[in-house]
Amino acid sequence: MAGLAVCIGLALLRLPPAWERYRQAASVAGAVALAVVAAVGLRVAAGQLPDFNVYAAVLFTAILVGLETDAPRNASARTIESLTRAPWPFAVAAAGAVIAIFVVLWLTTAPGSSEVAALVVTVAGMAGIKLLAVGGTQRSLAGLDSETRRGHVYATLGRRLGVARDVTSVAAAVLEACREIFPATSTGMVLINDPADGLLKSPGAFLSAGGVGSEKHAYELAPGEGLGGAAFVAEHAEVWPTTLSASMAQASLRETNRVRLRRSKLGFIRSAIGAPLRIDGSTIGAILLTSERQENAWDEADAPIIEALADEAARAIERARRHEDEMGRAQLDAVTGMPMRPQLLAVIDKELARASRREGTLALIMADIDGFGELNDRWGHDAGNQLLETFAGVLRSILRREDSAARFGSDEFVCVLPGADRDQAGAVAARIQQRFTADTAAEQGVGRSGATASAGIAVYPADSLEVGGLLEAASHELATAKASHELTGRSRLRRRVRDAAQG
């Protein structure tokens, strides 16, 4: 019997890979065969064992505990998770067979009504020990499976992130990792909270059936609004396994977002999963994945996985934010303290995307100081820098909080006015020119220079749909204004001087 147990154990340990699928069946057959041999051996030796019952109980308990009820080693993570929730049916039947053999052995070897109660207690104890062993195995496998999947998340996200440094690239890498980790995903988005208005906005990356690309119908969600807003305010990952549950969460969408959803022509959401993006205890956004192909694409077992992914994504996004801030500070103009051309182009591109989503307008004002080269040569570089600083101060005092401005050339500045039309932009340009003329006249160092400013305007979508086209249109209008002396501040100043002399 001992030799048979050793042989069965060695066979299971050295089972060839091609036979790995039959491990469960081999374990069951071996346990039943061992139980039969043990029963025969104990039956023969019953008269010579003073504590026969104890020997039999211990031996059959060992056989029962050794009966393998785990999933095959080559099963996928999902298969392991499902199969280890309970022993396989034929494994349970084999355990019952071992117990039945033990009961027959007991009754035929130690008959008597007094032994029945002891038999019941012994069988219950054996079953309890087996259940404890199975439970421990399930917990161990579940923990191993969870750690394996977490490791897969970290490895996949790290590979996808690569050298991504800006927030948009990081969001795109996160969504690519989501598609690889959760193949059932149809669409996905990363939403980041904007402190300016408290809304959740996408950094410009969206996952669809065609892969990750820039989005054209992005939401701007309030916390708690829709699936994305619900994921943001949740303390842990949220799973919406069915069409009904997802639809109920989407019922809180505002009408503007419902219109965007219809225009996006996305499929019907059959299931979804989301998790908050947290860093140092603060929620900075959310990640949302949806499936249009099937219900129950995710379950509660997937919650720790997306939470691990969200934690790593939050750290990567925060690093990208710091990098962008550092790069922004490093690229500020040394004289005016304003952003320069690279930041300006990024801002215009972002505002164009937003204007396109909202079907709104965007105005650019390109302004410069008239005759700056001559003024600089005549009054010196210190006076020229003072003029530039004054102009930058004028822009900061006049522009709204949502507006932006940057130094675009030696004496050129570009203002970005979201939502403004041509008339509104013209009014802002006139105020800039008037304030600059008044401020330079009051400054002792440059008061006698007669410095004025000129401006050209371009508006989306009337003048162009692209960044380059808008800048070109504004530059062309600025040049035309200077050539015609109609929009230039200097021409107006000279006209006022001339009118005063004639009067």
Side-chain angles (χ1 to χ4, degrees):
M1 182 177 61
L4 179 61
V6 171
C7 291
I8 294 174
L10 290 176
L12 291 175
L13 286 174
R14 302 181 62 85
L15 198 66
W19 290 75
E20 191 66 37
R21 70 179 69 179
Y22 304 112
R23 169 176 293 276
Q24 183 80 28
S27 174
V28 168
V32 173
L34 189 58
V36 172
V37 173
V40 173
L42 288 172
R43 183 70 181 83
V44 172
Q48 300 166 350
L49 293 175
D51 296 320
F52 166 78
N53 295 344
V54 174
Y55 282 109
V58 170
L59 183 57
F60 272 81
T61 300
I63 295 173
L64 197 62
V65 171
L67 177 63
E68 186 171 336
T69 57
D70 305 331
R73 294 180 183 177
N74 60 350
S76 64
R78 176 72 66 174
T79 304
I80 292 175
E81 176 188 318
S82 60
L83 292 179
T84 55
R85 290 175 181 169
W88 285 7
F90 58 84
V92 174
V98 171
I99 292 177
I101 294 172
F102 172 74
V103 170
V104 171
L105 173 65
W106 184 294
L107 293 177
T108 58
T109 306
S113 59
S114 61
E115 299 294 333
V116 174
L119 173 62
V120 172
V121 173
T122 303
V123 170
M126 292 170 60
I129 292 173
K130 177 58 180 177
L131 291 176
L132 288 175
V134 170
T137 301
Q138 289 181 18
R139 287 191 296 272
S140 298
L141 283 176
L144 178 61
D145 176 47
S146 177
E147 291 302 317
T148 300
R149 297 184 72 187
R150 283 176 177 269
H152 178 56
V153 167
Y154 300 143
T156 302
L157 188 55
R159 185 178 73 255
R160 290 291 184 179
L161 283 172
V163 295
R165 292 293 180 267
D166 61 283
V167 175
T168 301
S169 299
V170 168
V174 169
L175 293 174
E176 288 282 5
C178 289
R179 185 174 62 172
E180 183 174 340
I181 295 168
F182 301 110
T185 303
S186 299
T187 62
M189 64 180 70
V190 173
L191 299 167
I192 300 177
N193 181 252
D194 187 348
D197 54 18
L199 296 178
L200 300 173
K201 303 175 183 178
S202 168
F206 183 79
L207 174 62
S208 63
V212 177
S214 59
E215 55 189 335
K216 298 180 180 179
H217 302 280
Y219 299 138
E220 290 185 350
L221 299 173
E225 179 186 0
L227 293 168
F232 175 75
V233 300
E235 295 184 359
H236 306 286
E238 288 283 337
V239 179
W240 297 272
T242 64
T243 302
L244 178 60
S245 59
S247 299
M248 291 178 64
Q250 288 288 73
S252 59
L253 284 177
R254 291 171 294 167
E255 184 60 28
T256 54
N257 284 325
R258 291 181 184 278
V259 173
R260 290 172 188 155
L261 181 62
R262 288 194 295 269
R263 289 177 178 172
S264 66
K265 297 181 180 180
L266 296 176
F268 204 65
I269 298 176
R270 300 188 180 276
S271 58
I273 189 171
L277 299 174
R278 289 180 174 169
I279 187 75
D280 297 331
S282 299
T283 304
I284 64 171
I287 184 170
L288 176 67
L289 307 177
T290 66
S291 176
E292 303 168 3
R293 296 190 292 269
Q294 65 184 82
E295 292 191 339
N296 298 302
W298 297 277
D299 57 29
E300 293 300 329
D302 294 302
I305 307 306
I306 197 170
E307 285 178 356
L309 192 150
D311 290 343
E312 286 299 301
R315 284 189 281 268
I317 289 172
E318 191 64 21
R319 287 194 298 268
R321 278 177 162 180
R322 289 198 298 267
H323 176 75
E324 289 182 346
D325 290 343
E326 292 170 359
M327 291 300 294
R329 288 193 294 268
Q331 294 178 14
L332 293 180
D333 178 49
V335 176
T336 64
M338 300 189 74
M340 298 177 67
R341 181 187 292 257
Q343 297 99 307
L344 172 69
L345 297 178
V347 168
I348 298 176
D349 188 63
K350 178 181 177 180
E351 294 298 341
L352 274 179
R354 180 178 301 182
S356 175
R357 293 195 301 266
R358 296 180 175 180
E359 296 186 354
T361 59
L362 175 68
L364 300 186
I365 299 174
M366 182 176 289
D368 70 0
I369 300 173
D370 298 323
F372 179 76
E374 298 176 7
L375 295 173
N376 204 34
D377 293 339
R378 181 177 180 182
W379 297 93
H381 291 290
D382 290 340
N385 288 341
Q386 187 176 348
L387 284 175
L388 294 173
E389 293 174 11
T390 300
F391 196 88
V394 168
L395 297 181
R396 293 190 183 97
S397 64
I398 289 180
L399 296 180
R400 304 168 298 176
R401 186 179 65 174
E402 61 266 30
D403 299 334
S404 306
R407 186 177 179 184
F408 194 66
S410 61
D411 66 318
E412 289 179 334
F413 295 81
V414 173
C415 306
V416 184
L417 281 60
D421 56 24
R422 186 172 296 277
D423 291 338
Q424 293 169 331
V428 173
R431 290 176 59 197
I432 291 172
Q433 292 168 317
Q434 293 168 6
R435 179 72 64 82
F436 179 66
T437 299
D439 287 357
T440 54
E443 292 181 3
Q444 184 177 3
V446 295
R448 292 179 297 167
S449 65
T452 59
S454 299
I457 297 170
V459 179
Y460 166 90
D463 295 322
S464 179
L465 302 178
E466 300 177 346
V467 177
L470 287 174
L471 291 171
E472 184 178 354
S475 178
H476 177 73
E477 184 168 307
L478 174 60
T480 302
K482 284 181 171 294
S484 62
H485 299 288
E486 290 296 331
L487 295 180
T488 61
R490 173 164 293 189
S491 66
R492 285 193 295 273
L493 180 62
R494 288 175 177 171
R495 187 179 302 165
R496 287 198 299 270
V497 173
R498 184 171 61 253
D499 293 343
Q502 291 175 353

